Amino acid sequence: MNCYGALAAWYDTLTGDIPYGSFADFYEAEFAQNGGEFRLILDFCCGTGTLTVEMARRGYEMIAADQSAEMLMEARAKSSGLSIPPLFLQQSAQELDLYGTVDAAICSLDGVNYLPRQDFGEVLRRLHLFIRPGGLFIFDIKTPESLRALDGSVSVDEDDDVFCLWRADFDAEQQCLVYGMDLFEREGELWQRSGEEHVEYVYEEAFLRDALAEHGFTDVRFVHPGQWPDPGRVFVVSKRAFS
């Protein structure tokens, strides 16, 4: 089953409670704390581009990458009317290939958890190439505890025209949470069913610290913003070394 295929058209409808403005505020605070010279930003695993567009509206030049063509279609539709529209690239995180350097890279909503651990080093290698020295790499993850706590859970998201059923199972051997999803879309008097599977991998703090250091990222901080609505989410802030 594909990941973010049929779901792309309904993603924003089913996730209307995501505080994108708070994400953008957090990034801007980190930029200011690190000198404020941040204009060109890479948003990878950008999804439907809501955060990309929010950052563009705040005056940043944005490059946005995602491997899902369906998600990028939704993202491009949102960007019409912007004075400087983002550059959208259909690329997986493991295949990032930019035309030059950026001032910072961001990856939101546990996009890193979707990367198999064996691929994380290659992602960092590419980011080290494309983030300028002294630039930032900021991402957030779901904590290992929060992923394990979802084992066996079932949840439902619905709207007048869509019904989404999620089933979560934690694979202790592979250290990942597997989501099986059934999506029912209204078509007149009938409903069309489709399915997707999503996998999120556990990333421990020690693993992240070691991997970031090995690939030239320093000043690593794990940040739990106060009053954040999702206590299972932690932000990781790192700086691309000057060598």
Side-chain angles (χ1 to χ4, degrees), residues 187-232:
E187 292 191 355
E189 296 182 357
L190 303 177
W191 294 80
Q192 178 175 316
R193 179 182 179 181
S194 56
E196 294 191 7
E197 184 174 272
H198 297 234
V199 182
E200 293 201 51
Y201 297 87
V202 165
Y203 277 88
E204 303 93 347
E205 182 175 322
F207 175 88
L208 290 170
R209 285 190 184 278
D210 290 346
L212 287 161
E214 180 182 349
H215 290 88
F217 290 88
T218 64
D219 301 336
V220 180
R221 292 185 292 118
F222 290 77
V223 183
H224 299 264
Q227 304 302 312
W228 197 264
D230 182 357

CSV table of all heavy atoms in Angstrom, one decimal, residues 187-232:
chain,number,residue,atom,x,y,z
A,187,GLU,N,-18.7,9.1,-2.6
A,187,GLU,CA,-18.9,9.4,-4.0
A,187,GLU,C,-20.3,9.3,-4.3
A,187,GLU,O,-20.8,8.2,-4.6
A,187,GLU,CB,-18.0,8.4,-4.8
A,187,GLU,CG,-16.5,8.6,-4.7
A,187,GLU,CD,-15.8,7.8,-5.8
A,187,GLU,OE1,-16.4,7.1,-6.5
A,187,GLU,OE2,-14.5,8.0,-5.8
A,188,GLY,N,-21.0,10.4,-4.2
A,188,GLY,CA,-22.5,10.4,-4.4
A,188,GLY,C,-23.1,9.6,-3.2
A,188,GLY,O,-22.9,10.0,-2.0
A,189,GLU,N,-23.9,8.6,-3.5
A,189,GLU,CA,-24.5,7.8,-2.5
A,189,GLU,C,-23.7,6.6,-2.0
A,189,GLU,O,-24.1,5.8,-1.1
A,189,GLU,CB,-25.9,7.3,-3.0
A,189,GLU,CG,-26.9,8.4,-3.3
A,189,GLU,CD,-28.2,7.8,-3.7
A,189,GLU,OE1,-28.3,6.6,-3.9
A,189,GLU,OE2,-29.2,8.6,-3.9
A,190,LEU,N,-22.5,6.5,-2.7
A,190,LEU,CA,-21.6,5.3,-2.4
A,190,LEU,C,-20.4,5.8,-1.7
A,190,LEU,O,-20.1,7.0,-1.6
A,190,LEU,CB,-21.3,4.6,-3.6
A,190,LEU,CG,-22.4,4.1,-4.5
A,190,LEU,CD1,-21.9,3.4,-5.7
A,190,LEU,CD2,-23.3,3.1,-3.7
A,191,TRP,N,-19.6,4.9,-1.1
A,191,TRP,CA,-18.3,5.1,-0.5
A,191,TRP,C,-17.2,4.3,-1.2
A,191,TRP,O,-17.4,3.1,-1.4
A,191,TRP,CB,-18.4,4.8,1.0
A,191,TRP,CG,-19.3,5.7,1.8
A,191,TRP,CD1,-20.7,5.6,1.9
A,191,TRP,CD2,-18.9,6.8,2.5
A,191,TRP,NE1,-21.2,6.6,2.7
A,191,TRP,CE2,-20.1,7.4,3.1
A,191,TRP,CE3,-17.7,7.5,2.8
A,191,TRP,CZ2,-20.1,8.5,3.9
A,191,TRP,CZ3,-17.8,8.6,3.7
A,191,TRP,CH2,-18.9,9.1,4.2
A,192,GLN,N,-16.1,5.0,-1.5
A,192,GLN,CA,-15.0,4.3,-2.0
A,192,GLN,C,-13.9,4.0,-1.0
A,192,GLN,O,-13.5,4.9,-0.3
A,192,GLN,CB,-14.4,5.1,-3.2
A,192,GLN,CG,-13.1,4.4,-3.8
A,192,GLN,CD,-12.6,5.1,-5.0
A,192,GLN,OE1,-13.4,5.5,-5.9
A,192,GLN,NE2,-11.3,5.3,-5.1
A,193,ARG,N,-13.5,2.8,-0.9
A,193,ARG,CA,-12.5,2.4,0.2
A,193,ARG,C,-11.1,2.3,-0.5
A,193,ARG,O,-10.9,1.7,-1.5
A,193,ARG,CB,-12.9,1.1,0.8
A,193,ARG,CG,-11.9,0.6,1.9
A,193,ARG,CD,-12.4,-0.8,2.4
A,193,ARG,NE,-11.4,-1.3,3.4
A,193,ARG,CZ,-11.6,-2.4,4.0
A,193,ARG,NH1,-12.6,-3.2,3.7
A,193,ARG,NH2,-10.7,-2.8,4.9
A,194,SER,N,-10.1,2.8,0.3
A,194,SER,CA,-8.7,2.6,-0.1
A,194,SER,C,-7.9,2.4,1.1
A,194,SER,O,-8.4,2.6,2.3
A,194,SER,CB,-8.2,3.9,-0.9
A,194,SER,OG,-8.4,5.0,-0.1
A,195,GLY,N,-6.7,1.9,1.0
A,195,GLY,CA,-5.9,1.6,2.1
A,195,GLY,C,-4.5,2.1,2.0
A,195,GLY,O,-4.0,2.3,0.9
A,196,GLU,N,-3.9,2.5,3.1
A,196,GLU,CA,-2.5,2.9,3.2
A,196,GLU,C,-1.8,2.3,4.4
A,196,GLU,O,-2.5,1.9,5.4
A,196,GLU,CB,-2.3,4.4,3.3
A,196,GLU,CG,-2.8,5.2,2.0
A,196,GLU,CD,-2.5,6.6,2.0
A,196,GLU,OE1,-1.7,7.1,2.9
A,196,GLU,OE2,-2.9,7.3,1.1
A,197,GLU,N,-0.5,2.2,4.3
A,197,GLU,CA,0.3,1.8,5.5
A,197,GLU,C,1.4,2.8,5.8
A,197,GLU,O,2.1,3.2,4.9
A,197,GLU,CB,0.9,0.4,5.3
A,197,GLU,CG,1.7,-0.2,6.5
A,197,GLU,CD,2.1,-1.6,6.3
A,197,GLU,OE1,1.4,-2.5,6.5
A,197,GLU,OE2,3.3,-1.7,5.8
A,198,HIS,N,1.5,3.2,7.0
A,198,HIS,CA,2.5,4.1,7.4
A,198,HIS,C,3.4,3.5,8.5
A,198,HIS,O,2.9,2.7,9.3
A,198,HIS,CB,1.9,5.4,8.0
A,198,HIS,CG,1.1,6.2,7.0
A,198,HIS,ND1,1.3,7.5,6.7
A,198,HIS,CD2,0.0,5.8,6.2
A,198,HIS,CE1,0.4,7.9,5.8
A,198,HIS,NE2,-0.4,6.9,5.5
A,199,VAL,N,4.7,3.8,8.4
A,199,VAL,CA,5.6,3.2,9.4
A,199,VAL,C,6.5,4.3,10.0
A,199,VAL,O,7.1,5.1,9.3
A,199,VAL,CB,6.6,2.2,8.8
A,199,VAL,CG1,7.5,1.6,9.8
A,199,VAL,CG2,5.8,1.1,8.1
A,200,GLU,N,6.5,4.4,11.3
A,200,GLU,CA,7.3,5.4,12.0
A,200,GLU,C,8.3,4.6,12.9
A,200,GLU,O,8.0,3.7,13.7
A,200,GLU,CB,6.5,6.3,12.8
A,200,GLU,CG,5.6,7.3,12.0
A,200,GLU,CD,5.2,8.5,12.8
A,200,GLU,OE1,6.1,9.2,13.3
A,200,GLU,OE2,4.0,8.8,12.8
A,201,TYR,N,9.6,5.0,12.8
A,201,TYR,CA,10.7,4.3,13.4
A,201,TYR,C,11.1,5.1,14.7
A,201,TYR,O,11.1,6.3,14.8
A,201,TYR,CB,11.9,4.2,12.5
A,201,TYR,CG,11.6,3.4,11.3
A,201,TYR,CD1,11.1,3.9,10.1
A,201,TYR,CD2,11.8,2.0,11.3
A,201,TYR,CE1,10.8,3.2,9.0
A,201,TYR,CE2,11.6,1.2,10.2
A,201,TYR,CZ,11.0,1.8,9.1
A,201,TYR,OH,10.7,1.0,8.0
A,202,VAL,N,11.5,4.3,15.7
A,202,VAL,CA,12.0,4.8,17.0
A,202,VAL,C,13.4,5.5,16.8
A,202,VAL,O,14.3,4.9,16.2
A,202,VAL,CB,12.1,3.7,18.0
A,202,VAL,CG1,12.9,4.2,19.2
A,202,VAL,CG2,10.7,3.3,18.5
A,203,TYR,N,13.5,6.7,17.3
A,203,TYR,CA,14.8,7.4,17.3
A,203,TYR,C,15.1,7.8,18.8
A,203,TYR,O,14.4,8.7,19.3
A,203,TYR,CB,14.8,8.6,16.4
A,203,TYR,CG,15.0,8.3,14.9
A,203,TYR,CD1,14.0,8.0,14.1
A,203,TYR,CD2,16.3,8.3,14.4
A,203,TYR,CE1,14.2,7.7,12.8
A,203,TYR,CE2,16.6,8.0,13.1
A,203,TYR,CZ,15.5,7.7,12.3
A,203,TYR,OH,15.8,7.4,11.0
A,204,GLU,N,16.1,7.2,19.4
A,204,GLU,CA,16.5,7.6,20.7
A,204,GLU,C,17.4,8.8,20.7
A,204,GLU,O,18.1,9.0,19.7
A,204,GLU,CB,17.2,6.4,21.4
A,204,GLU,CG,16.4,5.1,21.5
A,204,GLU,CD,16.7,4.2,20.3
A,204,GLU,OE1,17.4,4.6,19.4
A,204,GLU,OE2,16.3,3.0,20.4
A,205,GLU,N,17.4,9.5,21.8
A,205,GLU,CA,18.3,10.7,21.9
A,205,GLU,C,19.7,10.4,21.7
A,205,GLU,O,20.4,11.1,21.0
A,205,GLU,CB,18.1,11.4,23.3
A,205,GLU,CG,18.8,12.6,23.5
A,205,GLU,CD,18.5,13.3,24.8
A,205,GLU,OE1,17.4,13.3,25.2
A,205,GLU,OE2,19.5,13.9,25.4
A,206,ALA,N,20.2,9.3,22.2
A,206,ALA,CA,21.6,9.0,22.1
A,206,ALA,C,22.0,8.7,20.6
A,206,ALA,O,23.1,9.1,20.1
A,206,ALA,CB,22.0,7.8,23.0
A,207,PHE,N,21.1,8.0,20.0
A,207,PHE,CA,21.3,7.7,18.5
A,207,PHE,C,21.4,9.0,17.7
A,207,PHE,O,22.3,9.2,16.9
A,207,PHE,CB,20.2,6.8,18.0
A,207,PHE,CG,20.3,6.5,16.5
A,207,PHE,CD1,21.1,5.5,16.0
A,207,PHE,CD2,19.6,7.3,15.6
A,207,PHE,CE1,21.2,5.2,14.7
A,207,PHE,CE2,19.7,7.1,14.2
A,207,PHE,CZ,20.5,6.0,13.8
A,208,LEU,N,20.5,9.9,18.0
A,208,LEU,CA,20.5,11.1,17.2
A,208,LEU,C,21.7,12.0,17.5
A,208,LEU,O,22.3,12.5,16.6
A,208,LEU,CB,19.2,11.9,17.6
A,208,LEU,CG,17.9,11.3,17.1
A,208,LEU,CD1,16.7,12.1,17.7
A,208,LEU,CD2,17.8,11.4,15.6
A,209,ARG,N,22.1,12.1,18.8
A,209,ARG,CA,23.3,12.8,19.1
A,209,ARG,C,24.5,12.3,18.4
A,209,ARG,O,25.3,13.1,17.8
A,209,ARG,CB,23.5,12.8,20.6
A,209,ARG,CG,22.6,13.7,21.4
A,209,ARG,CD,23.1,13.8,22.9
A,209,ARG,NE,22.2,14.5,23.7
A,209,ARG,CZ,22.1,15.9,23.7
A,209,ARG,NH1,23.0,16.6,23.0
A,209,ARG,NH2,21.3,16.5,24.5
A,210,ASP,N,24.7,11.0,18.4
A,210,ASP,CA,25.9,10.4,17.8
A,210,ASP,C,25.8,10.6,16.3
A,210,ASP,O,26.9,10.9,15.6
A,210,ASP,CB,25.9,8.9,18.1
A,210,ASP,CG,26.3,8.6,19.6
A,210,ASP,OD1,26.7,9.5,20.2
A,210,ASP,OD2,26.1,7.5,20.0
A,211,ALA,N,24.7,10.4,15.6
A,211,ALA,CA,24.6,10.5,14.2
A,211,ALA,C,24.8,11.9,13.7
A,211,ALA,O,25.5,12.2,12.7
A,211,ALA,CB,23.2,10.0,13.7
A,212,LEU,N,24.2,12.9,14.4
A,212,LEU,CA,24.4,14.3,14.1
A,212,LEU,C,25.9,14.7,14.2
A,212,LEU,O,26.4,15.3,13.3
A,212,LEU,CB,23.5,15.2,15.0
A,212,LEU,CG,22.0,15.1,14.6
A,212,LEU,CD1,21.2,15.7,15.8
A,212,LEU,CD2,21.7,16.0,13.4
A,213,ALA,N,26.5,14.3,15.3
A,213,ALA,CA,27.9,14.6,15.5
A,213,ALA,C,28.8,14.0,14.4
A,213,ALA,O,29.7,14.6,13.9
A,213,ALA,CB,28.4,14.1,16.9
A,214,GLU,N,28.5,12.7,14.1
A,214,GLU,CA,29.3,12.0,13.1
A,214,GLU,C,29.2,12.7,11.7
A,214,GLU,O,30.2,12.6,10.9
A,214,GLU,CB,28.8,10.6,12.9
A,214,GLU,CG,29.5,9.7,11.9
A,214,GLU,CD,29.0,8.3,11.8
A,214,GLU,OE1,28.1,7.9,12.6
A,214,GLU,OE2,29.3,7.6,10.8
A,215,HIS,N,28.1,13.4,11.4
A,215,HIS,CA,27.9,14.0,10.1
A,215,HIS,C,28.1,15.5,10.1
A,215,HIS,O,27.6,16.2,9.2
A,215,HIS,CB,26.6,13.6,9.5
A,215,HIS,CG,26.5,12.1,9.2
A,215,HIS,ND1,26.2,11.1,10.1
A,215,HIS,CD2,26.8,11.5,8.0
A,215,HIS,CE1,26.2,10.0,9.5
A,215,HIS,NE2,26.6,10.1,8.2
A,216,GLY,N,28.7,16.0,11.1
A,216,GLY,CA,29.1,17.4,11.1
A,216,GLY,C,28.1,18.4,11.6
A,216,GLY,O,28.1,19.6,11.2
A,217,PHE,N,27.3,18.0,12.6
A,217,PHE,CA,26.3,18.9,13.2
A,217,PHE,C,26.6,19.0,14.7
A,217,PHE,O,26.8,18.0,15.4
A,217,PHE,CB,24.9,18.4,13.0
A,217,PHE,CG,24.4,18.5,11.6
A,217,PHE,CD1,24.6,17.5,10.7
A,217,PHE,CD2,23.8,19.6,11.1
A,217,PHE,CE1,24.2,17.6,9.3
A,217,PHE,CE2,23.4,19.8,9.8
A,217,PHE,CZ,23.6,18.7,8.9
A,218,THR,N,26.7,20.2,15.2
A,218,THR,CA,27.1,20.5,16.5
A,218,THR,C,26.0,21.2,17.3
A,218,THR,O,24.9,21.5,16.8
A,218,THR,CB,28.4,21.3,16.6
A,218,THR,OG1,28.1,22.6,16.0
A,218,THR,CG2,29.5,20.7,15.8
A,219,ASP,N,26.3,21.5,18.6
A,219,ASP,CA,25.4,22.3,19.4
A,219,ASP,C,24.0,21.7,19.5
A,219,ASP,O,23.0,22.4,19.3
A,219,ASP,CB,25.3,23.7,19.0
A,219,ASP,CG,26.7,24.4,19.0
A,219,ASP,OD1,27.6,24.0,19.8
A,219,ASP,OD2,26.9,25.4,18.3
A,220,VAL,N,23.9,20.4,19.6
A,220,VAL,CA,22.6,19.7,19.5
A,220,VAL,C,21.8,19.9,20.8
A,220,VAL,O,22.4,19.8,21.9
A,220,VAL,CB,22.8,18.2,19.3
A,220,VAL,CG1,21.5,17.4,19.3
A,220,VAL,CG2,23.6,17.9,18.0
A,221,ARG,N,20.6,20.3,20.7
A,221,ARG,CA,19.7,20.6,21.8
A,221,ARG,C,18.4,19.8,21.6
A,221,ARG,O,17.9,19.8,20.4
A,221,ARG,CB,19.4,22.0,22.0
A,221,ARG,CG,20.6,22.8,22.4
A,221,ARG,CD,20.3,24.3,22.7
A,221,ARG,NE,19.9,25.0,21.5
A,221,ARG,CZ,18.7,25.5,21.3
A,221,ARG,NH1,17.7,25.4,22.2
A,221,ARG,NH2,18.4,26.2,20.2
A,222,PHE,N,17.8,19.3,22.6
A,222,PHE,CA,16.5,18.7,22.6
A,222,PHE,C,15.6,19.6,23.4
A,222,PHE,O,15.8,19.8,24.6
A,222,PHE,CB,16.5,17.3,23.2
A,222,PHE,CG,17.3,16.3,22.3
A,222,PHE,CD1,18.7,16.3,22.3
A,222,PHE,CD2,16.6,15.4,21.5
A,222,PHE,CE1,19.4,15.4,21.5
A,222,PHE,CE2,17.3,14.5,20.7
A,222,PHE,CZ,18.6,14.5,20.7
A,223,VAL,N,14.5,20.1,22.7
A,223,VAL,CA,13.7,21.1,23.2
A,223,VAL,C,12.3,20.7,23.4
A,223,VAL,O,11.7,20.2,22.4
A,223,VAL,CB,13.8,22.4,22.3
A,223,VAL,CG1,12.9,23.5,23.0
A,223,VAL,CG2,15.2,22.8,22.1
A,224,HIS,N,11.7,20.8,24.6
A,224,HIS,CA,10.3,20.6,24.8
A,224,HIS,C,9.6,21.9,25.0
A,224,HIS,O,9.7,22.4,26.2
A,224,HIS,CB,10.1,19.7,26.0
A,224,HIS,CG,10.7,18.3,25.9
A,224,HIS,ND1,10.0,17.2,25.5
A,224,HIS,CD2,12.0,17.9,26.1
A,224,HIS,CE1,10.8,16.2,25.5
A,224,HIS,NE2,12.0,16.5,25.9
A,225,PRO,N,9.1,22.5,24.0
A,225,PRO,CA,8.5,23.9,24.2
A,225,PRO,C,7.4,23.8,25.2
A,225,PRO,O,6.6,22.9,25.3
A,225,PRO,CB,7.9,24.2,22.8
A,225,PRO,CG,8.6,23.3,21.9
A,225,PRO,CD,8.9,22.1,22.6
A,226,GLY,N,7.4,24.9,26.1
A,226,GLY,CA,6.3,25.0,27.1
A,226,GLY,C,4.9,25.1,26.5
A,226,GLY,O,4.7,25.7,25.5
A,227,GLN,N,4.0,24.5,27.2
A,227,GLN,CA,2.6,24.5,26.8
A,227,GLN,C,2.3,23.9,25.4
A,227,GLN,O,1.3,24.2,24.8
A,227,GLN,CB,2.1,26.0,26.8
A,227,GLN,CG,2.3,26.6,28.2
A,227,GLN,CD,1.6,25.9,29.3
A,227,GLN,OE1,0.4,25.5,29.2
A,227,GLN,NE2,2.3,25.7,30.4
A,228,TRP,N,3.2,23.1,24.9
A,228,TRP,CA,3.0,22.5,23.5
A,228,TRP,C,1.9,21.5,23.7
A,228,TRP,O,1.8,20.7,24.6
A,228,TRP,CB,4.3,21.8,23.0
A,228,TRP,CG,4.2,21.6,21.6
A,228,TRP,CD1,3.9,20.4,21.0
A,228,TRP,CD2,4.5,22.5,20.5
A,228,TRP,NE1,3.9,20.5,19.6
A,228,TRP,CE2,4.3,21.8,19.3
A,228,TRP,CE3,4.9,23.8,20.5
A,228,TRP,CZ2,4.5,22.4,18.0
A,228,TRP,CZ3,5.1,24.4,19.2
A,228,TRP,CH2,4.9,23.7,18.1
A,229,PRO,N,0.9,21.5,22.7
A,229,PRO,CA,-0.2,20.6,22.9
A,229,PRO,C,0.1,19.1,22.8
A,229,PRO,O,-0.8,18.3,23.2
A,229,PRO,CB,-1.2,21.1,21.7
A,229,PRO,CG,-0.2,21.7,20.7
A,229,PRO,CD,0.8,22.4,21.5
A,230,ASP,N,1.2,18.7,22.2
A,230,ASP,CA,1.5,17.3,22.0
A,230,ASP,C,2.8,17.0,22.9
A,230,ASP,O,3.9,17.2,22.5
A,230,ASP,CB,1.8,17.0,20.6
A,230,ASP,CG,2.1,15.6,20.3
A,230,ASP,OD1,2.2,14.8,21.3
A,230,ASP,OD2,2.3,15.2,19.1
A,231,PRO,N,2.6,16.4,24.1
A,231,PRO,CA,3.7,16.2,25.0
A,231,PRO,C,4.6,15.1,24.5
A,231,PRO,O,5.8,15.0,25.0
A,231,PRO,CB,3.0,15.8,26.3
A,231,PRO,CG,1.7,15.2,25.9
A,231,PRO,CD,1.3,16.0,24.7
A,232,GLY,N,4.2,14.3,23.5
A,232,GLY,CA,5.1,13.3,22.9
A,232,GLY,C,6.0,13.7,21.8
A,232,GLY,O,6.7,12.9,21.2
